[in-house]
PDB file of all heavy atoms in Angstrom:
ATOM      1  N   ALA J  40      -9.811 -15.103  20.607  1.00 98.00           N
ATOM      2  CA  ALA J  40      -9.302 -14.182  19.573  1.00 98.00           C
ATOM      3  C   ALA J  40      -8.607 -14.970  18.466  1.00 98.00           C
ATOM      4  O   ALA J  40      -8.827 -14.726  17.274  1.00 98.00           O
ATOM      5  CB  ALA J  40      -8.343 -13.176  20.194  1.00 98.00           C
ATOM      6  N   LYS J  41      -7.776 -15.928  18.864  1.00 98.00           N
ATOM      7  CA  LYS J  41      -7.057 -16.729  17.871  1.00 98.00           C
ATOM      8  C   LYS J  41      -8.033 -17.543  17.027  1.00 98.00           C
ATOM      9  O   LYS J  41      -7.885 -17.648  15.814  1.00 98.00           O
ATOM     10  CB  LYS J  41      -6.078 -17.678  18.561  1.00 98.00           C
ATOM     11  CG  LYS J  41      -4.930 -16.963  19.242  1.00 98.00           C
ATOM     12  CD  LYS J  41      -4.019 -17.976  19.893  1.00 98.00           C
ATOM     13  CE  LYS J  41      -2.917 -17.294  20.675  1.00 98.00           C
ATOM     14  NZ  LYS J  41      -2.211 -18.230  21.563  1.00 98.00           N
ATOM     15  N   GLN J  42      -9.023 -18.115  17.700  1.00 98.00           N
ATOM     16  CA  GLN J  42     -10.010 -18.907  16.953  1.00 98.00           C
ATOM     17  C   GLN J  42     -10.719 -18.044  15.914  1.00 98.00           C
ATOM     18  O   GLN J  42     -10.845 -18.417  14.748  1.00 98.00           O
ATOM     19  CB  GLN J  42     -11.066 -19.476  17.909  1.00 98.00           C
ATOM     20  CG  GLN J  42     -10.542 -20.615  18.762  1.00 98.00           C
ATOM     21  CD  GLN J  42     -11.631 -21.143  19.687  1.00 98.00           C
ATOM     22  OE1 GLN J  42     -12.409 -20.375  20.251  1.00 98.00           O
ATOM     23  NE2 GLN J  42     -11.682 -22.462  19.846  1.00 98.00           N
ATOM     24  N   LEU J  43     -11.156 -16.881  16.371  1.00 98.00           N
ATOM     25  CA  LEU J  43     -11.896 -16.015  15.451  1.00 98.00           C
ATOM     26  C   LEU J  43     -11.016 -15.594  14.269  1.00 98.00           C
ATOM     27  O   LEU J  43     -11.439 -15.584  13.114  1.00 98.00           O
ATOM     28  CB  LEU J  43     -12.431 -14.777  16.165  1.00 98.00           C
ATOM     29  CG  LEU J  43     -13.348 -14.015  15.224  1.00 98.00           C
ATOM     30  CD1 LEU J  43     -14.807 -14.187  15.632  1.00 98.00           C
ATOM     31  CD2 LEU J  43     -12.993 -12.570  15.105  1.00 98.00           C
ATOM     32  N   MET J  44      -9.747 -15.261  14.570  1.00 98.00           N
ATOM     33  CA  MET J  44      -8.848 -14.832  13.488  1.00 98.00           C
ATOM     34  C   MET J  44      -8.646 -15.942  12.473  1.00 98.00           C
ATOM     35  O   MET J  44      -8.619 -15.707  11.269  1.00 98.00           O
ATOM     36  CB  MET J  44      -7.491 -14.417  14.067  1.00 98.00           C
ATOM     37  CG  MET J  44      -7.556 -13.110  14.815  1.00 98.00           C
ATOM     38  SD  MET J  44      -5.932 -12.602  15.362  1.00 98.00           S
ATOM     39  CE  MET J  44      -5.509 -11.428  14.086  1.00 98.00           C
ATOM     40  N   GLN J  45      -8.513 -17.170  12.985  1.00 98.00           N
ATOM     41  CA  GLN J  45      -8.322 -18.283  12.052  1.00 98.00           C
ATOM     42  C   GLN J  45      -9.536 -18.459  11.141  1.00 98.00           C
ATOM     43  O   GLN J  45      -9.393 -18.691   9.947  1.00 98.00           O
ATOM     44  CB  GLN J  45      -8.049 -19.577  12.813  1.00 98.00           C
ATOM     45  CG  GLN J  45      -6.615 -19.617  13.323  1.00 98.00           C
ATOM     46  CD  GLN J  45      -6.325 -20.884  14.099  1.00 98.00           C
ATOM     47  OE1 GLN J  45      -7.085 -21.257  14.994  1.00 98.00           O
ATOM     48  NE2 GLN J  45      -5.235 -21.539  13.760  1.00 98.00           N
ATOM     49  N   TRP J  46     -10.730 -18.357  11.733  1.00 98.00           N
ATOM     50  CA  TRP J  46     -11.935 -18.476  10.907  1.00 98.00           C
ATOM     51  C   TRP J  46     -11.970 -17.396   9.838  1.00 98.00           C
ATOM     52  O   TRP J  46     -12.128 -17.682   8.650  1.00 98.00           O
ATOM     53  CB  TRP J  46     -13.208 -18.376  11.773  1.00 98.00           C
ATOM     54  CG  TRP J  46     -13.542 -19.648  12.504  1.00 98.00           C
ATOM     55  CD1 TRP J  46     -13.506 -19.850  13.843  1.00 98.00           C
ATOM     56  CD2 TRP J  46     -13.967 -20.891  11.920  1.00 98.00           C
ATOM     57  NE1 TRP J  46     -13.870 -21.137  14.137  1.00 98.00           N
ATOM     58  CE2 TRP J  46     -14.163 -21.795  12.987  1.00 98.00           C
ATOM     59  CE3 TRP J  46     -14.199 -21.323  10.608  1.00 98.00           C
ATOM     60  CZ2 TRP J  46     -14.577 -23.116  12.770  1.00 98.00           C
ATOM     61  CZ3 TRP J  46     -14.614 -22.640  10.402  1.00 98.00           C
ATOM     62  CH2 TRP J  46     -14.794 -23.515  11.478  1.00 98.00           C
ATOM     63  N   VAL J  47     -11.808 -16.168  10.282  1.00 98.00           N
ATOM     64  CA  VAL J  47     -12.017 -15.053   9.360  1.00 98.00           C
ATOM     65  C   VAL J  47     -10.886 -14.942   8.345  1.00 98.00           C
ATOM     66  O   VAL J  47     -11.122 -14.890   7.133  1.00 98.00           O
ATOM     67  CB  VAL J  47     -12.154 -13.724  10.143  1.00 98.00           C
ATOM     68  CG1 VAL J  47     -12.267 -12.540   9.189  1.00 98.00           C
ATOM     69  CG2 VAL J  47     -13.366 -13.781  11.061  1.00 98.00           C
ATOM     70  N   HIS J  48      -9.649 -14.903   8.852  1.00 98.00           N
ATOM     71  CA  HIS J  48      -8.543 -14.562   7.962  1.00 98.00           C
ATOM     72  C   HIS J  48      -7.912 -15.776   7.291  1.00 98.00           C
ATOM     73  O   HIS J  48      -7.400 -15.672   6.188  1.00 98.00           O
ATOM     74  CB  HIS J  48      -7.486 -13.765   8.729  1.00 98.00           C
ATOM     75  CG  HIS J  48      -8.017 -12.462   9.256  1.00 98.00           C
ATOM     76  ND1 HIS J  48      -8.368 -11.418   8.440  1.00 98.00           N
ATOM     77  CD2 HIS J  48      -8.308 -12.051  10.523  1.00 98.00           C
ATOM     78  CE1 HIS J  48      -8.835 -10.414   9.160  1.00 98.00           C
ATOM     79  NE2 HIS J  48      -8.810 -10.776  10.440  1.00 98.00           N
ATOM     80  N   GLN J  49      -7.920 -16.923   7.970  1.00 97.00           N
ATOM     81  CA  GLN J  49      -7.284 -18.089   7.348  1.00 97.00           C
ATOM     82  C   GLN J  49      -8.274 -18.927   6.545  1.00 97.00           C
ATOM     83  O   GLN J  49      -7.960 -19.407   5.472  1.00 97.00           O
ATOM     84  CB  GLN J  49      -6.573 -18.930   8.410  1.00 97.00           C
ATOM     85  CG  GLN J  49      -5.409 -18.161   9.019  1.00 97.00           C
ATOM     86  CD  GLN J  49      -4.498 -18.996   9.895  1.00 97.00           C
ATOM     87  OE1 GLN J  49      -4.876 -20.070  10.359  1.00 97.00           O
ATOM     88  NE2 GLN J  49      -3.302 -18.490  10.125  1.00 97.00           N
ATOM     89  N   ARG J  50      -9.465 -19.138   7.113  1.00 97.00           N
ATOM     90  CA  ARG J  50     -10.431 -19.971   6.387  1.00 97.00           C
ATOM     91  C   ARG J  50     -11.394 -19.150   5.551  1.00 97.00           C
ATOM     92  O   ARG J  50     -12.149 -19.705   4.762  1.00 97.00           O
ATOM     93  CB  ARG J  50     -11.224 -20.820   7.378  1.00 97.00           C
ATOM     94  CG  ARG J  50     -10.326 -21.734   8.195  1.00 97.00           C
ATOM     95  CD  ARG J  50     -11.136 -22.652   9.118  1.00 97.00           C
ATOM     96  NE  ARG J  50     -10.247 -23.287  10.061  1.00 97.00           N
ATOM     97  CZ  ARG J  50     -10.334 -23.174  11.386  1.00 97.00           C
ATOM     98  NH1 ARG J  50     -11.321 -22.480  11.935  1.00 97.00           N
ATOM     99  NH2 ARG J  50      -9.459 -23.768  12.170  1.00 97.00           N
ATOM    100  N   GLY J  51     -11.384 -17.850   5.758  1.00 97.00           N
ATOM    101  CA  GLY J  51     -12.278 -16.993   4.966  1.00 97.00           C
ATOM    102  C   GLY J  51     -13.742 -17.133   5.358  1.00 97.00           C
ATOM    103  O   GLY J  51     -14.627 -16.792   4.579  1.00 97.00           O
TER     104      GLY J  51
END
Side-chain angles (χ1 to χ4, degrees):
K41 292 180 184 167
Q42 287 180 320
L43 188 107
M44 288 184 99
Q45 283 179 311
W46 281 113
V47 176
H48 298 292
Q49 294 190 341
R50 300 184 192 121

